[in-house]
Amino acid sequence: MDLAMKAEDVAFRDEVRAFLKENLTDELKAHARLTPGILSDQDLRVEWTKILHKRGWSAPSWPKEHGGPGWNVMQRFIWASECAAAGAPHGSNMGLAMVGPTLMGHGTPEQRAKYLPAILSGDDWWCQGYSEPGSGSDLASLQCRADSDGDDYIINGTKLWTTGAHQSNKMFLLVRTDPNAPKKQEGISFLLIDDFQAKGIKVDPIITLAGDHEVNQVFFDDVRVPKANRVGAENNGWTVAKYLLEFERGGAAHGANLRNSLNKLKVMAAAERSDNGEKLSDDPAFARKIAETDVEVTAVEYTEHRIMSQLSNGQNPGAAASMIKLRGSDTNQKITELGMEAIAYYAEPHVLEARNWGSNVPPVGPDHALMVMPKYLNTRAQTIFGGSNEVQRGIMAKAVLGL
């Protein structure tokens, strides 16, 4: 794949930069900067999605026939890189990144016509019902049941670590429709819940180590879901789920975000001082760590390019999605650890109130130190969610090495 910038690529890059300069407000950038994870203020997420939708850019990876811009690999790379550099909010709508592509691959024409337009416009926001107590990384051991009742399923059980459930109006989830299936991967179906505020659904917040409300536990008590909301055949949800996970693990623009984070770390290192009073960036030991991390970021970027090329050619990323998820999360954790090392004792005070937009509570230490601790704490979960590192290594060992 040729990654050199052609004249049309430069023109597109300039178009993107002009769009971001005109539409990315100081408030949107501030909220993005003050968000340690992927879940920013909901009103601003909706605002940014609708701005993008008006331009036809809300779903960078979607083909034109489904309402996307139909961008090629280079255009998507340019878009992700420029958004990261400009400080745009994360595109954290699971409808755009996961449900949409899954419906394109496994949904019926009726399901695509019903759900895709509202995902594009930002009118619908989706959350993911996968993990459960006792079946996180071992997803196939899930116990949340969906019992058949005429044209409906009746759901009972619970889902855990449900990102954005408190901000969503719809959910996609895996349920057990045949508890007597001989293998645990069998007997699972993939369902869509249209009304996430329906009777029998309860959302309990979980506050993270960083002090943020991103995840939740969701309880289902005799919740009715039409069988028309099943994606794929009954008891074949594991196949649909694996298809979706390839997009979750492989389509997150890891390289652009990592490169942006590393650049910020370099600026921070130039502003901080080492034990001898010189710039931390001039300290040989710390400079070596940054150089090593730079190599790792570059490796992630090139791996991501390969995945993007596969997707653009209609192929699934397969085991490469596990590779990028593992290396991307490991490298991001390493960058946040170096950030903690760089700000030294300023990592100790964690002033949550100073992270609120418009707050008059001052941070302790320099401005660049404010989000270092929250991001460090938030990224501890990256090697777990979306499939733990151990699971990713197992997938690669089986699919690539044949072990």
Side-chain angles (χ1 to χ4, degrees), residues 19-345:
F19 171 82
L20 292 173
K21 183 178 180 180
E22 179 180 354
N23 293 278
L24 191 56
T25 65
D26 290 340
E27 186 177 17
L28 285 167
K29 288 190 287 187
H31 273 283
R33 183 177 65 84
L34 297 173
T35 301
I38 64 171
L39 208 62
S40 57
D41 178 270
Q42 176 66 3
D43 290 340
L44 289 166
R45 284 205 300 166
V46 173
E47 177 185 342
W48 183 234
T49 300
K50 290 188 175 298
I51 290 172
L52 296 175
H53 179 57
K54 185 177 180 180
R55 185 62 176 265
W57 290 358
S58 60
S61 63
W62 287 25
K64 283 187 176 181
E65 59 264 33
H66 293 300
W71 286 342
N72 60 34
V73 173
M74 179 58 80
Q75 288 174 312
R76 277 181 274 170
F77 171 73
I78 291 171
W79 170 252
S81 300
E82 294 299 326
C83 282
H90 291 293
S92 55
N93 188 343
M94 294 184 180
L96 289 169
M98 294 184 235
V99 175
T102 300
L103 290 176
M104 294 174 204
H106 288 272
T108 64
E110 294 77 15
Q111 289 172 337
R112 291 194 287 268
K114 178 180 180 180
Y115 295 113
L116 295 186
I119 292 174
L120 279 171
S121 66
D123 291 331
D124 283 346
W125 289 82
W126 292 77
C127 59
Q128 180 186 61
Y130 273 23
S131 295
E132 298 180 8
S135 60
S137 294
D138 184 16
L139 181 58
S141 67
L142 63 90
Q143 296 300 312
C144 185
R145 288 185 56 152
D147 296 312
S148 177
D149 185 31
D151 292 333
D152 297 336
Y153 291 112
I154 300 178
I155 302 177
N156 284 281
T158 184
K159 294 293 179 178
L160 194 60
W161 313 120
T162 313
T163 302
H166 59 298
Q167 297 179 343
S168 302
N169 65 329
K170 298 190 184 299
M171 178 189 234
F172 61 94
L173 75 163
L174 292 176
V175 291
R176 191 160 295 283
T177 43
D178 183 3
N180 299 315
K183 296 181 180 180
K184 61 183 181 180
Q185 289 85 359
E186 300 172 356
I188 294 174
S189 297
F190 189 105
L191 300 183
L192 309 175
I193 295 181
D194 280 336
D195 183 7
F196 201 53
Q197 284 73 43
K199 180 181 178 181
I201 298 177
K202 179 185 178 185
V203 179
D204 281 355
I206 300 174
I207 306 302
T208 67
L209 280 172
D212 298 295
H213 181 193
E214 283 196 336
V215 293
N216 309 267
Q217 183 167 7
V218 182
F219 299 90
F220 304 92
D221 184 8
D222 290 339
V223 177
R224 283 189 172 270
V225 175
K227 290 183 178 177
N229 286 21
R230 187 186 67 235
V231 179
E234 185 172 270
N235 299 324
N236 195 40
W238 192 248
T239 298
V240 181
K242 288 192 297 182
Y243 183 84
L244 182 146
L245 282 171
E246 290 173 358
F247 290 98
E248 179 182 7
R249 292 165 182 169
H254 295 281
N257 291 319
L258 289 173
R259 178 62 62 188
N260 186 50
S261 297
L262 181 61
N263 289 339
K264 290 180 179 178
L265 174 64
K266 291 177 180 179
V267 172
M268 190 188 309
E272 293 292 334
R273 301 292 168 179
S274 63
D275 292 340
N276 61 12
E278 297 180 349
K279 290 182 180 180
L280 184 60
S281 56
D282 292 333
D283 178 78
F286 196 82
R288 185 184 69 249
K289 294 176 184 178
I290 288 184
E292 291 171 348
T293 307
D294 203 329
V295 172
E296 293 181 22
V297 171
T298 300
V300 169
E301 288 174 329
Y302 276 89
T303 303
E304 190 169 59
H305 295 330
R306 292 199 301 271
I307 292 174
M308 292 167 64
S309 179
Q310 289 174 314
L311 291 173
S312 69
N313 291 321
Q315 302 173 1
N316 291 339
S322 292
M323 183 186 302
I324 195 70
K325 197 277 177 182
L326 187 151
R327 296 308 307 151
S329 57
D330 276 349
T331 305
N332 197 30
Q333 285 185 346
K334 184 173 182 178
I335 292 172
T336 63
E337 289 164 6
L338 290 176
M340 292 282 284
E341 184 177 342
I343 65 171
Y345 45 77

